[in-house]
Amino acid sequence: MRRVMVGVKRVVDYNVRIRVKPDGTGVVLDGVKMSINPFDEIGLEEALRIKERGHADEVVAVAIGSDDVQQQLRTALAMGADRAVQVRTAAAVEPLQAARIFLQLIAKEQPSIVILGKQAIDDDNSQTGQMLAALWERPQATFASKIEINGAVAVVTREVDAGLEKIEVDLPAVFTTDLRLNEPRYVKLPEIMKAKKKPLDVIEAGALGVDVTETLKVVKYEPPAQRTRGVMVKDAAELVAQLRARGVLQ
Amino acid sequence: MSTVLIVAEHDGHRLSPATARTVTCASRIPGAAVTIVVLAAEPDAIAKEAAALTGVQRVLTVTQAPNVHTLAAVLAPQIAELGAGFTHLMAASTTFGKDVMPRVAALLDAPQISDLMAVEGERRFRRPIYAGNAIVTIEVPAGVKVVATVRAASFAVAAPGGAAAIEPVTVKAAVPSHTRFIGVESGASDRPDLQSAARVVSGGRALGSAENFKHIYSLADRLGAAVGASRAAVDAGYVPNELQVGQTGKIIAPELYVAVGISGAIQHLTGIKDARTIVAINKDAEAPIFEVADIGLVGDLFTVLPEIERALAGK
Ligand SMILES: Cc1cc2nc3c(=O)[nH]c(=O)nc-3n(C[C@H](O)[C@H](O)[C@H](O)COP(=O)(O)OP(=O)(O)OC[C@H]3O[C@@H](n4cnc5c(N)ncnc54)[C@H](O)[C@@H]3O)c2cc1C
């Protein structure tokens, strides 16, 4: 069975305006809309396309966290994942811990491809895929904007600061997705009904032997320094005059 | 005492300015001794540039044919081997640093701090989360190696004037062959580099086509500026991906940032928070970009841009 494993992280929806709690202990999450991390949604879409093109037989969606993540896993199943696995933890885990959890699942599931988002839009870490590839001692192709599977190898186009980089990797490998890899499909109502019958297994993180106690200590949360609204000018001439007056232009 | 190993970023010939900014960050760590490692096929010229940065004590070079390309799987085991003897490891938070450092961290069994933006102590740092909508202060417990990527835009370039010793070293780490470089395609231009330019002119969805972006290029040329873009402009294919500014593109800190036909979505603003002067040109007076702009002009870009060029030319 050729399997693709995808990570699905539950995060605050990207449209929500984040506010820091007045006491600095975190950000306000009560009653806030939660969604699949957009990069993971792209990862799942890519996995489905890889399967539809005949390069895989099964897509497994994996989420780590409390039972709340089952909501995102059901969405993933409705999008088309064949199975879902929740690795249950009380709190959010750090990227290295997430990578260790994935490594344990890989040992069980033997996927030929693992796809994660290039970053999660909550902590913006951009680490888990690379860490997993290191622990697994397999290739990584991060920030992918195109993935072509050719039997036992994949050619991946990566969005890098210099432009578009192409690399070839032997499978199995870890890919992380960039925004332009694809546009995720919409979930149709009948699929949501069907998804309720698809298997969703729950595994305790402890049963995988991964220690999830926090290593990095978050001391406090603060709102960012605010930029203040400046002046409005009426036309181009005044704009240029302003720039000169401020010494920005000679 | 803190010993910091910085991984040099380069294109095979020149050291990246982002590395010089990372040196400034490392120098803020109390009592830090800063070492730079250059992994390359021909590291000498790059090492010389690194050695000339103020605050650098030592430059190590690792010369190997496979190091000609910046493949994380190839470089990480070498960096991890050298890094074992340091308390801190750092690289700029560019696509290079983001790709390689977490792989290094995992090999060293260490967590990573991404996008470090301020140093508050040997083991205490600040970084943005939620696209910069919150800033967290993080403490790394004693005994845990500090591995970090550094948000280059938050630090100035380390001044030249140093004279560090350059030391060739060898590593034992096996270099994997499972990852192979094919090529890189870039819209390479003679214009200033977006990441390090002092002035940047960016265009958004409002430009409407690749052809219309000539208005942006023209103003940029007049100002000696680099060109940037919003995600919407990149997604629409008006300009290549490497011009995207923002949470998932480049984080920049130019002296002057001109946003043309860009609404000012939070993901875009994350990329320009540290700009000195922000100018916004938008036909919608209610556009959120005006909330952060130092100078705002409400108007149609297709009339305003030519007028600005004329005003600059003094006509
Ligand atoms: C996970 C995620 C990551 C993202 N990362 C980024 C990122 O890194 N960078 C980024 O930029 N975006 C990013 N985005 C997208 C972001 O949310 C916005 O959609 C995007 O920035 C909008 O681009 P825009 O301002 O060009 O387009 P729009 O929001 O459509 O704004 C166009 C603006 O042009 C003005 N306009 C129209 N015609 C004219 C005219 N003739 N003259 C003057 N003004 C005119 C309009 O008034 C409007 O304000 C991300 C989104 C998500 C979900």
Side-chain angles (χ1 to χ4, degrees):
Chain A
M1 174 94 84
R2 295 161 308 161
R3 204 165 267 142
V4 184
M5 189 187 271
V6 292
V8 169
K9 187 175 183 185
R10 173 183 165 93
V11 299
V12 174
D13 188 83
Y14 78 96
N15 279 312
V16 172
R17 219 178 166 91
I18 294 293
R19 280 180 306 119
V20 175
K21 288 186 192 161
D23 65 0
T25 57
V27 301
V28 177
L29 296 176
D30 300 335
V32 155
K33 182 178 178 204
M34 303 297 285
S35 298
I36 297 182
N37 175 40
F39 292 97
D40 294 345
E41 205 181 348
I42 292 170
L44 174 56
E45 175 65 36
E46 195 63 20
L48 297 174
R49 292 185 191 188
I50 287 171
K51 182 183 161 191
E52 285 159 7
R53 287 191 207 112
H55 299 299
D57 308 301
E58 189 185 54
V59 174
V60 184
V62 177
I64 302 171
S66 69
D67 290 347
D68 290 341
V69 305
Q70 291 185 8
Q71 214 182 322
Q72 279 63 43
L73 286 174
R74 287 291 167 203
T75 307
L77 291 169
M79 265 181 81
D82 298 291
R83 286 192 293 126
V85 177
Q86 173 197 359
V87 177
R88 190 187 275 142
T89 61
V93 300
E94 294 174 1
L96 185 56
Q97 297 163 347
R100 290 193 181 119
I101 287 172
F102 273 101
L103 187 69
Q104 294 305 313
L105 292 180
I106 283 170
K108 285 182 186 240
E109 303 272 357
Q110 301 288 324
S112 54
I113 296 171
V114 177
I115 310 182
L116 304 182
K118 81 160 175 178
Q119 72 197 76
I121 60 165
D122 49 6
D123 51 26
D124 284 331
N125 272 319
S126 195
Q127 300 175 8
T128 309
Q130 299 87 313
M131 288 177 160
L132 172 61
L135 300 178
W136 195 15
E137 297 177 37
R138 294 304 307 167
Q140 68 189 47
T142 52
F143 326 139
S145 66
K146 192 170 179 199
I147 298 173
E148 296 160 86
I149 311 288
N150 298 315
V153 301
V155 173
V156 179
T157 305
R158 307 179 53 232
E159 292 205 3
V160 296
D161 289 336
L164 295 173
E165 182 190 83
K166 250 191 201 179
I167 62 172
E168 183 182 65
V169 297
D170 295 338
L171 299 179
V174 178
F175 305 138
T176 76
T177 61
D178 218 315
L179 291 170
R180 281 168 281 273
L181 182 59
N182 60 51
E183 261 192 64
R185 66 197 61 188
Y186 286 104
V187 177
K188 297 183 211 81
L189 197 59
E191 306 295 336
I192 298 175
M193 304 311 290
K194 265 204 295 195
K196 293 196 175 130
K197 300 203 190 77
K198 288 187 181 174
L200 192 164
D201 295 328
V202 181
I203 305 176
E204 300 296 331
L208 295 175
V210 178
D211 182 0
V212 293
T213 41
E214 151 193 285
T215 49
L216 294 177
K217 198 164 168 297
V218 180
V219 184
K220 67 174 169 209
Y221 291 73
E222 288 166 283
Q226 292 298 330
R227 289 189 78 103
T228 45
R229 189 180 257 277
V231 300
M232 298 300 287
V233 294
K234 64 173 194 312
D235 59 20
E238 203 185 313
L239 175 72
V240 171
Q242 270 285 343
L243 288 172
R244 292 210 168 107
R246 291 166 191 239
V248 180
L249 296 182
Q250 265 72 55
Chain B
M1 197 188 77
S2 297
T3 51
V4 188
L5 181 66
I6 295 175
V7 182
E9 174 164 356
H10 59 83
D11 62 1
H13 311 283
R14 307 277 325 254
L15 185 71
S16 160
T19 302
R21 291 174 186 268
T22 306
V23 169
T24 303
C25 171
S27 303
R28 300 244 168 100
I29 295 170
V34 179
T35 302
I36 296 188
V37 61
V38 181
L39 302 110
E42 296 174 25
D44 294 356
I46 305 156
K48 270 201 195 109
E49 279 189 78
L53 295 172
T54 308
V56 177
Q57 260 101 57
R58 218 157 45 117
V59 176
L60 309 178
T61 57
V62 184
T63 310
Q64 279 206 69
N67 291 353
V68 67
H69 303 301
T70 50
L71 295 169
V74 168
L75 301 179
Q78 305 176 53
I79 298 166
E81 181 182 329
L82 293 169
F86 290 79
T87 59
H88 295 55
L89 275 85
M90 291 181 165
S93 186
T94 52
T95 51
F96 167 73
K98 286 179 182 169
D99 189 38
V100 75
M101 292 310 273
R103 190 157 182 131
V104 172
L107 294 176
L108 291 170
D109 205 19
Q112 177 180 291
I113 299 173
S114 297
D115 300 319
L116 192 164
M117 60 183 278
V119 175
E120 304 227 307
E122 238 176 293
R123 311 191 140 264
R124 197 173 159 118
F125 310 97
R126 281 153 58 85
R127 67 169 300 257
I129 56 172
Y130 287 103
N133 283 307
I135 309 294
V136 285
T137 303
I138 288 179
E139 221 160 61
V140 187
V144 175
K145 211 178 273 294
V146 178
V147 179
T149 60
V150 173
R151 183 178 194 157
S154 301
F155 301 92
V157 172
I166 300 176
E167 240 176 84
V169 292
T170 51
V171 290
K172 293 199 259 334
V175 171
S177 58
H178 54 47
T179 306
R180 297 168 292 273
F181 178 84
I182 298 177
V184 62
E185 215 181 277
S186 60
S189 71
D190 304 335
R191 291 198 171 76
D193 167 50
L194 174 58
Q195 199 106 53
S196 52
R199 294 173 181 175
V200 174
V201 181
S202 281
R205 193 198 310 272
L207 270 298
S209 68
E211 157 74 11
N212 280 343
F213 242 82
K214 66 175 184 244
H215 297 290
I216 300 293
Y217 284 108
S218 170
L219 177 61
D221 287 348
R222 164 90 51 195
L223 292 170
V227 169
S230 70
R231 175 186 166 191
V234 176
D235 282 359
Y238 305 162
V239 287
N241 65 283
E242 64 264 28
L243 298 194
Q244 182 175 316
V245 172
Q247 180 189 16
T248 51
K250 287 181 178 152
I251 312 263
I252 57 175
E255 293 291 312
L256 173 64
Y257 186 76
V258 185
V260 183
I262 292 178
S263 59
I266 186 73
Q267 294 89 358
H268 187 81
L269 300 185
T270 304
I272 58 170
K273 272 193 175 39
D274 294 319
R276 173 79 66 80
T277 301
I278 297 177
V279 172
I281 298 164
N282 197 302
K283 69 175 182 191
D284 174 11
E286 303 296 318
I289 188 80
F290 289 123
E291 283 161 35
V292 300
D294 299 287
I295 309 175
L297 174 53
V298 177
D300 187 318
L301 72 95
F302 296 105
T303 39
V304 170
L305 291 187
E307 282 168 13
I308 293 175
E309 286 204 46
R310 281 197 290 277
L312 286 169
K315 283 177 208 154

